[in-house]
Amino acid sequence: MGEEGDRLLNLESVRKSLVRQEDTIIFSLIERSKYPINSRLYHQPSLLHFFINESEALQAKAGRYISPEENAFFPDSLPPPMLPPPKHKPVLHPSGASININEKIFDHYLKTLIPLVAAEGSDDGNYATTAASDLACLQALSRRIHFGKFVAEVKFRDSPQDYTPAILAKDKEGLMALLTFESVEEAIKKRVEKKAMVFGQDVEKPESGTYKVKPAVVSQLYGEWVIPLTKFVQVEYLLRRLD
Amino acid sequence: MGEEGDRLLNLESVRKSLVRQEDTIIFSLIERSKYPINSRLYHQPSLLHFFINESEALQAKAGRYISPEENAFFPDSLPPPMLPPPKHKPVLHPSGASININEKIFDHYLKTLIPLVAAEGSDDGNYATTAASDLACLQALSRRIHFGKFVAEVKFRDSPQDYTPAILAKDKEGLMALLTFESVEEAIKKRVEKKAMVFGQDVEKPESGTYKVKPAVVSQLYGEWVIPLTKFVQVEYLLRRLD
């Protein structure tokens, strides 16, 4: 995807990327689980907010947000890239490309996910490494959820006739129904649960059955949050697809 | 370790931390393997150099280098932390605490490790995400290798009489011999090779025997580089332990 542009945009390449992104998400959560909540990071004025804002400014200079797969948490006033952007035809429809639901993702991550993943104890003082770890989790989740734009674009291109009536009628529920395949969603939840077991096991004592991040938490994360938000992005994208 | 200070400094806690850090290193290498070499990052003036320098400045503000476990790649002129540092007694002996061999680590990472780990192809244009991934690998490796300071401190405290004669004689080879246990090193190499197989497998098709990073590369990385450099840090630390 990405730099190769249109040529590689098909359902199989999108699926492969989504499966690979599961590993990245689970690795990042396992890394976050090394630290306790460290709530001092999140007090106002929020050190995490500052850290992410500054990290994004730096990554913008290095060209991160040239890629249509990347969406900033604080997109206002990012500096321009230091290298000229590569020239390739945009893959996404322009009105949908700018969809950004990172505020929802940030909020949910902080309130729901951190308490389920963090180590016991309340504060180990490792704020900088915890913030870097939070950033890795947030970027991995944001990328996965906003990948819904590519999923929707591929599905629309494959059968525009299926989606056009609902788009013209602004029928969100109808679109959501067209995008929902329960058996596929169940398979994803099972797979990420298995991955959490494989990647989070104690390799020296696999029989101990202890995992760095609870596999049920990862399955729940996908079922209640990652999959629904990805579909939300898909619906929003499709609603703008004929603008 | 870290914030708990002296109380938890013993061979078992050090060993546990080293084993856990293997997971972090292997996760970070698997993530780096998503991208090709992207050599444009490393041309002069080096975008990676800029990226790491600026990232470290930001992480220093968030307090990263307060921790004796963290060593910057560009330690000169780092800004002070924004939060007051926690007050606890230093664990390491002051003259050894400042040992920093990140230049060696950086050089070896760039020249030897990236070509062994990077995806095929020469350039996908994802410089920012590749740089962030390089930073994660470098920090994980640097932390592991400089952990030799804690290993040496624990070993010295456990039996100062074994090390003192060689320290006073500035006998590097004698110290290296005292610190070398071939069976332990072989066990580490086997364990990290296994972890690379477990964490880098195709979870949907484990029978395929394909791995995201070659397990032999991780074993080689430890055998030829991580373990020798950790011992180098230990020797340097011990040489200053009686200053």
Side-chain angles (χ1 to χ4, degrees), chain A residues 1-4 15 19-21 23-24 26-28 30-35 40 47 50-52 54-55 58-65 67 70 82-84 86 123-129 131-132 139 143 191 194-195 198-201 203-204 206 212, chain B residues 1-4 15 19-21 23-24 26-28 30-35 40 47 50-52 54-55 58-65 67 70 82-84 86 123-129 131-132 139 143 191 194-195 198-201 203-204 206 212:
Chain A
M1 295 285 311
E3 302 316 308
E4 290 83 9
R15 197 195 90 89
V19 169
R20 179 64 187 79
Q21 289 181 55
D23 300 31
T24 302
I26 294 167
F27 291 160
S28 70
I30 289 175
E31 288 303 285
R32 179 61 181 85
S33 76
K34 289 197 286 195
Y35 310 105
R40 197 167 167 190
L47 184 57
F50 165 80
F51 186 84
I52 292 179
E54 296 281 311
S55 296
L58 172 57
Q59 298 195 350
K61 285 184 203 166
R64 184 179 188 106
Y65 303 103
S67 166
E70 302 294 342
M82 292 160 59
L83 293 175
D123 199 312
D124 68 359
N126 290 316
Y127 304 116
T129 42
Q139 288 183 330
R143 187 185 177 91
R191 188 173 59 230
K194 187 172 174 197
K195 286 185 175 181
V198 171
F199 302 149
Q201 68 181 290
V203 172
E204 290 187 289
K212 296 187 184 72
Chain B
M1 295 284 311
E3 303 316 305
E4 290 83 10
R15 197 195 89 88
V19 169
R20 179 64 186 80
Q21 289 182 55
D23 299 31
T24 303
I26 294 168
F27 292 161
S28 70
I30 289 175
E31 287 303 284
R32 179 60 180 85
S33 78
K34 288 197 287 195
Y35 309 105
R40 199 168 166 187
L47 184 57
F50 165 80
F51 186 84
I52 292 180
E54 294 282 311
S55 296
L58 172 57
Q59 298 195 350
K61 285 185 203 164
R64 184 180 189 105
Y65 304 103
S67 166
E70 302 293 342
M82 291 160 58
L83 294 175
D123 198 315
D124 69 358
N126 291 315
Y127 305 116
T129 42
Q139 287 183 329
R143 186 185 178 92
R191 189 174 58 232
K194 186 174 175 196
K195 284 184 176 181
V198 170
F199 302 150
Q201 69 182 288
V203 172
E204 289 187 290
K212 295 188 184 71

Side-chain angles (χ1 to χ4, degrees), chain A residues 203-216:
Chain A
V203 172
E204 290 187 289
K205 283 184 204 155
E207 69 283 3
S208 72
T210 57
Y211 303 105
K212 296 187 184 72
V213 170
K214 286 197 187 82

Side-chain angles (χ1 to χ4, degrees), chain B residues 44-107:
Chain B
Q44 297 305 324
S46 157
L47 184 57
L48 181 68
H49 185 119
F50 165 80
F51 186 84
I52 292 180
N53 206 342
E54 294 282 311
S55 296
E56 289 191 334
L58 172 57
Q59 298 195 350
K61 285 185 203 164
R64 184 180 189 105
Y65 304 103
I66 297 167
S67 166
E69 296 175 25
E70 302 293 342
N71 297 270
F73 284 84
F74 302 107
D76 298 333
S77 71
L78 287 175
M82 291 160 58
L83 294 175
K87 287 185 188 71
H88 47 76
K89 210 178 129 221
V91 172
L92 299 174
H93 192 71
S95 16
S98 61
I99 292 166
N100 184 329
I101 62 161
N102 274 336
E103 211 174 308
K104 267 189 220 274
I105 296 172
F106 194 85
D107 195 58

Side-chain angles (χ1 to χ4, degrees), chain A residues 130-148:
Chain A
T130 305
S133 179
D134 282 333
L135 176 64
C137 292
L138 284 164
Q139 288 183 330
L141 288 165
S142 168
R143 187 185 177 91
R144 166 62 173 84
I145 289 165
H146 288 100
F147 220 74

